[in-house]
Every structure is written in C-alpha cells, then in structure tokens.
Amino acid sequence: FGSSHLGWIGGPGSSGNRHPSSTAMGKFLKPGRVVVLLQGRYAGKKAVIAKVFDEGSKPRRFGHCLVAGVARVPMKVTKAMSKKKITKRQ
C-alpha cells in the first residue's frame, strides 16, 4: 500500500503532520450528554453526565466526570393501554 491509502489531511505542499502537538483537545464531555460506560461493573450501560471535572480533583488527578445511570429504559406506551398499565411501564 502506498501513502495514498493512509488518508492524510492536507494536500500537496502540506507538512503531512496529522496530529499537531500544539492543538488542544476539544471539550466533548458536557453535562446532559448521554454516554455509554466502557469499564467496570457498569460497562455497556447508558448514563447521563451530571458534572465534569476537566482538570481532575485531589483524589483523582485526571479528567473525569460524575454520571447518573439509566436503570431501565421506559417501555413503549400506546393510547389503547389502560392508566394502570401506562404507570407500570414508566
């Protein structure tokens, strides 16, 4: 394979550097955003970001966030269902 298959950013005359070290990473973790947890006992579960600690905290010196989990997704509700069934499904 040649370099044409690598998907370099820029055209002829560019330096060919895909990831310049001078650029900072964007803030993509924002409160209210839905995320999927990747590690730990809740891996694969959906959660909502409650608070973001971009600079870290005293016990955790790295960027992290506080999330609130979605225990159970609400089930589908239709007009034909009774009030009792609707309250049970929510």
Side-chain angles (χ1 to χ4, degrees), residues 14-15 19 25 42 59 87:
S14 68
S15 64
H19 304 287
M25 195 165 132
Y42 298 107
T87 55

Side-chain angles (χ1 to χ4, degrees), residues 6-70:
L6 297 175
W8 296 105
I9 297 173
S14 68
S15 64
N17 190 359
R18 288 173 51 151
H19 304 287
S21 60
S22 62
T23 60
M25 195 165 132
K27 308 276 185 198
F28 63 93
L29 297 174
K30 297 175 184 171
R33 180 163 286 190
V34 177
V35 293
V36 176
L37 304 178
L38 298 176
Q39 294 181 343
R41 64 186 279 200
Y42 298 107
K45 302 293 183 191
K46 288 177 277 199
V48 178
I49 296 177
K51 188 173 181 181
V52 178
F53 300 94
D54 283 327
E55 302 302 320
S57 59
K58 202 163 192 171
R60 293 182 178 88
R61 303 230 178 247
F62 47 86
H64 59 280
C65 55
L66 176 70
V67 297
V70 180

